[in-house]
Amino acid sequence: MPTRTTAPLPTRVIPPHHYSDPAIFEQEKARIFRRSWMFVGFADDLGGNNDFITAEIAGTSVLVQNFDGQLRAFHNVCTHRGSLIHLKPCGNGKPVCPYHGWVFNRDGVPVGIPGNREFFGFDDEARRRLALPRFEVATRGRFVFVRLEPGGPGLDEQLGAYGALLDHLSALFVEKIDENRLPWAANWKTGVESVLEVYHVDATHPETFKQFTKKVWNCAYEKEHSRGTTHLSDGSVKWWDGVVARLGLPRSELYRNYDHFFIFPNLAIGLTHGGLMSVQTYDPLDAERCSLHFRLFLGATSKPQTRGGPVRRAVEDNLRGFNARVLDEDRIVSEAAHHGMKQMRQPAVPGWCEERIHAFHDAYLTRMGE
């Protein structure tokens, strides 16, 4: 385990009240979530005409829709009476409000208004004034991002060197084996912090993640983002080598430990021995709640005969079960930390074994203008 004894600890730490103050949450929405490129889903769900995905970005419902091969992003709220337009996380269908049947085109303009002549009398200009607010949308590999507020750096600039990472992962991890949204009674920052250090592993994950890794890690930084590499236990390496050979799974030659990447403000990507990808976002719901949205991916097998077989099913069940146990353990301690943070009067004191926490706090406070 690396130790730091000579350098002073950074002093910029997020104040306790930032984890539960509704006024601070409103500032976060304006200064962080509206101005950042936010990961909203995968291009896998947007391959055909009229395919769509929806997402919540700090209280703003977003719709990304494929119009004849072109992706466009809008506010997913009808300008007539405020109903959500698409109600599902993903699917296929034109943007039609389920409340009164208003139909919106690729520019977000309502082109189909039942009873327009009799009840509204909207001409073309009036329809254009009722267009859905439009957001910026961009992709890197299969990862789809939306920015609510225009201006600022492009997606590639925000990602920096991690853009190439997303390209690499997009080409490799193409088979989704699990996805879910889990409600956490904790601030989104508390959720993020639960994945940025391994100091908590012994106490929080004694029967799960502790058995999976060694007490060795290395950290690196890219702009507001960070990477932590934790060495796998010998037993984990042996198990993964066997699974890869038995099922014919591809894996990354670049990442062979437990490689964890964090893309500010709330996207976490974990790679296990180059063979499994976990993608997680800690989506804020309000000052005291977030939703953990996770997806698990494997690579496309070179032995298609194993797909659906008993060994493949057993491996997938093992991975899903392990992931569920670890995330539930993180939820329990994150909710405990959130509850306790509301009673603290002094800032937290993360040590060098939690150095990625310091980087996250520094990026957050800079964005918040503090």
Side-chain angles (χ1 to χ4, degrees):
M1 179 183 297
T3 58
R4 305 286 184 96
T5 57
T6 58
L9 290 172
T11 57
R12 289 188 11 122
V13 178
I14 298 174
H17 73 281
H18 278 234
Y19 291 84
S20 56
D21 187 337
I24 292 295
F25 180 60
E26 291 302 313
Q27 292 178 36
E28 291 174 350
K29 289 196 290 186
R31 299 178 183 181
I32 296 177
F33 290 98
R34 292 194 63 84
R35 297 176 183 177
S36 300
W37 286 100
M38 303 298 299
F39 169 70
V40 295
F42 285 93
D44 313 41
D45 296 317
L46 292 165
N49 184 41
N50 285 326
D51 283 351
F52 68 85
I53 60 175
T54 62
E56 288 281 331
I57 301 178
T60 298
S61 184
V62 173
L63 158 67
V64 181
Q65 182 114 15
N66 182 327
F67 292 95
D68 295 317
Q70 183 180 37
L71 297 185
R72 296 203 170 182
F74 300 100
H75 195 198
N76 186 38
V77 174
C78 181
T79 49
H80 169 220
R81 291 272 299 281
S83 171
L84 296 181
I85 298 172
H86 282 311
L87 307 182
K88 297 179 180 179
C90 62
N92 180 273
K94 295 180 179 180
V96 181
C97 177
Y99 199 178
H100 299 97
W102 283 34
V103 182
F104 296 86
N105 68 10
R106 66 174 59 236
D107 297 315
V109 175
V111 292
I113 301 177
N116 180 47
R117 181 179 301 175
E118 300 89 343
F119 308 126
F120 300 98
F122 294 138
D123 59 17
D124 289 346
E125 179 58 31
R127 290 173 189 258
R128 283 192 291 270
R129 288 196 298 269
L130 289 168
L132 303 173
R134 188 170 168 185
F135 305 131
E136 294 178 297
V137 60
T139 60
R140 189 68 195 248
R142 292 170 28 245
F143 292 73
V144 181
F145 292 80
V146 166
R147 183 165 60 185
L148 302 182
E149 189 171 300
L155 175 60
D156 290 346
E157 184 178 350
Q158 177 177 307
L159 293 173
Y162 285 7
L165 167 73
L166 299 189
D167 293 339
H168 176 67
L169 302 183
S170 294
L172 189 61
F173 296 103
V174 296
E175 295 188 359
K176 184 169 63 178
I177 64 169
D178 201 10
E179 178 176 8
N180 204 355
R181 292 172 173 82
L182 306 174
W184 282 23
N187 184 273
W188 69 275
K189 297 185 292 297
T190 305
V192 165
E193 290 169 358
S194 72
V195 298
L196 288 181
E197 45 88 1
V198 293
Y199 180 45
H200 75 286
V201 167
D202 286 3
T204 303
H205 308 295
E207 303 301 325
T208 53
F209 206 84
K210 180 181 178 181
Q211 311 300 320
F212 174 66
T213 60
K214 298 177 179 178
K215 291 182 181 294
V216 178
W217 71 83
N218 303 101
C219 301
Y221 304 93
E222 167 68 22
K223 297 186 176 182
E224 298 175 313
H225 321 310
S226 68
R227 171 184 176 180
T229 298
T230 305
H231 291 216
L232 297 179
S233 66
D234 294 341
S236 295
V237 170
K238 183 178 180 181
W239 187 86
W240 268 105
D241 285 343
V243 165
V244 167
R246 183 78 177 271
L247 298 182
L249 296 177
R251 59 181 171 181
S252 171
E253 295 299 327
L254 302 177
Y255 308 108
R256 286 300 186 88
N257 294 289
Y258 179 71
D259 296 279
H260 185 271
F261 300 87
F262 174 67
I263 296 176
F264 189 88
N266 70 336
L267 172 59
I269 302 173
L271 307 176
T272 303
H273 204 40
L276 174 73
M277 178 174 73
S278 167
V279 177
Q280 300 172 185
T281 56
Y282 296 83
D283 301 322
L285 301 177
D286 55 37
E288 302 200 53
R289 298 179 303 136
C290 69
S291 173
L292 169 58
H293 187 179
F294 77 84
R295 304 166 177 87
L296 294 180
F297 289 88
L298 294 172
T301 178
S302 62
K303 298 180 179 179
Q305 67 274 16
T306 67
R307 187 180 290 112
V311 175
R312 174 67 177 242
R313 290 198 302 271
V315 168
E316 291 187 7
D317 287 345
N318 179 290
L319 296 174
R320 285 190 287 261
F322 183 87
N323 184 63
R325 291 193 299 273
V326 170
L327 292 182
D328 197 52
E329 291 163 353
D330 279 334
R331 176 191 61 80
I332 291 170
V333 296
S334 294
E335 291 180 350
H338 175 79
H339 183 71
M341 185 68 74
K342 293 193 292 182
Q343 304 173 40
M344 290 186 69
R345 296 295 175 264
Q346 72 281 352
V349 286
W352 273 118
C353 52
E354 303 157 283
E355 63 178 276
R356 293 174 76 199
I357 298 280
H358 289 289
F360 172 61
H361 283 210
D362 189 68
Y364 170 87
L365 292 170
T366 298
R367 286 288 202 101
M368 292 290 284
E370 299 189 18

